[in-house]
Amino acid sequence: MIYLTRKMEFCASHLYHNPALSAEENKRIFGKCNNPHGHGHNYTLEVTVAGEPDPVTGMVLDLKELREILEREIAQRMDHRFLNYEVEELKGQIPTCENIARVIFNLLEPKIEKGRLYKVRLYETPELFAECYRNGARPA
Amino acid sequence: MLPQRSATRVTDRLKIELGRRYRFSASHRLNNESLSEQENRRVYGKCNNPHGHGHNYVVEVRVSGTVDPATGMIASLVDLDSFVDREVIEPFDHKLLNEEVAAFRKVVPTTENLCKEIYQRLKRFPKAKLERVRVEETSNNTFEYAGEEL
């Protein structure tokens, strides 16, 4: 099995606010991330696909094809967007790294037909990331 | 033949891990008292220098758990940061590991052993499950420990 990883970046803004909680609780739990004007990050996304190389092309899947999927499914939805208001799949969720990674996994999984989506890792900053994968496929 | 999607895989639940990187700087000396001076020099080379030497260590901590729908988080970063700070950064940062960390009085503070010691300390984090600890001693040398199951 070969594990192939492609990286991409996108920039987006977000804020953490749970309308079910009081203003004080929101402030206490989310701190600076609760600023109503939002704030932004340069996100780095690493997408890992597992599969066997096709004997004809030598590729698990064409990297160009993967780039196009990432562009269509992720960049067009999230790049230079305010995640709370502009991304349908995140509506009703706090757009934390954990939740964004899961949304990205769910968006990409059905689109990757050669090989299978193994995991996504999303960096919010170089110091903080979330990983999403199918339980049982423990990531390296 | 390319791998096919299997029914079991699709029913597997998604798992989320949170990764956080921390830094500390410390010195150490690699020396095993049960070996002769000459053997120590042969085994540990420059790292056996009696005056010790230091590194800027990077510790990558991975935890898993359920994402709380109210916060969108596996664990509050404030809780995780303060726990790691108290258990690892405070006791290790700007210290001579051999002398100032009790665990390394008898155990050689290689980064393998450091990785295991940090794992043991962070395993007690009450808010999420510790998955693994990765320690970068330099940008060329990295060690990972995920408990004894690996």
Side-chain angles (χ1 to χ4, degrees):
Chain A
M1 188 76 82
I2 299 290
Y3 299 87
L4 168 163
T5 299
R6 176 139 201 144
K7 207 188 263 200
M8 69 168 280
E9 287 188 23
F10 62 91
C11 307
S13 55
H14 68 176
L15 73 96
Y16 294 171
H17 182 82
N18 184 339
L21 303 174
S22 70
E24 292 72 36
E25 281 176 305
N26 270 295
K27 195 83 215 150
R28 184 180 57 77
I29 296 171
F30 300 124
K32 282 197 286 194
C33 300
N34 187 232
N35 177 351
H37 301 292
H39 62 279
H41 297 285
N42 297 333
Y43 289 93
T44 301
L45 174 65
E46 290 174 5
V47 175
T48 303
V49 176
E52 295 298 339
D54 181 316
V56 177
T57 63
M59 298 173 182
V60 174
L61 88 167
D62 190 337
L63 279 175
K64 184 167 152 283
E65 198 180 313
L66 182 56
R67 191 184 65 220
E68 286 163 2
I69 294 170
L70 294 179
E71 171 62 31
R72 199 170 57 236
E73 298 299 326
I74 310 304
Q76 285 189 18
R77 257 192 191 82
M78 300 185 182
D79 190 32
H80 288 74
R81 301 285 181 178
F82 201 122
L83 299 174
N84 301 63
Y85 309 131
E86 297 186 273
V87 178
E88 198 55 43
E89 292 77 7
L90 281 165
K91 291 265 166 73
Q93 298 186 52
I94 315 282
T96 54
C97 215
E98 291 95 315
N99 280 335
I100 306 167
R102 179 164 49 198
V103 162
I104 291 176
F105 191 98
N106 283 325
L107 285 168
L108 293 179
E109 193 179 41
K111 304 291 176 190
I112 290 170
E113 291 170 341
K114 293 182 189 128
R116 63 179 172 82
L117 180 61
Y118 181 68
K119 70 169 180 186
V120 305
R121 178 186 276 207
L122 180 69
Y123 284 91
E124 184 178 279
T125 70
E127 263 56 59
L128 177 69
F129 62 85
E131 259 187 19
C132 183
Y133 54 95
R134 291 262 167 223
N135 205 355
R138 196 188 173 95
Chain B
M1 186 67 186
L2 292 168
Q4 299 298 304
R5 284 158 186 279
S6 73
T8 50
R9 187 181 60 74
V10 176
T11 56
D12 282 343
R13 287 180 48 238
L14 285 186
K15 189 162 175 187
I16 315 273
E17 286 185 14
L18 179 75
R20 184 90 159 136
R21 286 162 72 85
Y22 302 89
R23 285 157 208 282
F24 70 88
S25 305
S27 58
H28 67 173
R29 180 199 181 199
L30 302 187
N31 185 68
N32 183 339
E33 282 170 15
S34 62
L35 301 177
S36 71
E37 228 174 273
Q38 200 186 357
E39 281 175 310
N40 268 305
R41 262 202 305 275
R42 187 180 55 76
V43 173
Y44 297 118
K46 279 197 289 193
C47 300
N48 187 238
N49 174 355
H51 302 291
H53 63 281
H55 297 286
N56 296 327
Y57 292 95
V58 176
V59 180
E60 188 179 289
V61 177
R62 299 255 291 272
V63 298
S64 67
T66 9
V67 177
D68 180 347
T71 63
M73 296 172 184
I74 290 174
S76 146
L77 288 179
V78 176
D79 291 344
L80 182 62
D81 289 356
S82 58
F83 189 82
V84 174
D85 206 54
R86 193 178 70 227
E87 296 294 324
V88 177
I89 309 303
E90 273 301 314
F92 291 10
D93 191 32
H94 287 73
K95 300 286 168 68
L96 171 56
L97 298 175
N98 305 59
E99 298 292 332
E100 295 180 273
V101 176
F104 299 120
R105 295 259 164 76
K106 295 277 172 244
V107 172
V108 185
T110 56
T111 306
E112 288 90 329
N113 285 332
L114 185 57
C115 210
K116 289 175 90 167
E117 175 62 20
I118 293 173
Y119 181 92
Q120 298 309 334
R121 287 167 180 245
L122 296 184
K123 211 170 62 174
R124 299 192 290 264
F125 181 56
K127 306 285 175 82
K129 179 177 182 283
L130 180 67
E131 289 285 339
R132 62 176 66 201
V133 165
R134 175 187 171 99
V135 180
E136 297 170 16
E137 180 184 75
T138 68
S139 52
N140 296 325
N141 300 336
T142 297
F143 303 84
E144 271 192 30
Y145 186 66
E148 285 307 321
E149 73 271 26
L150 282 192

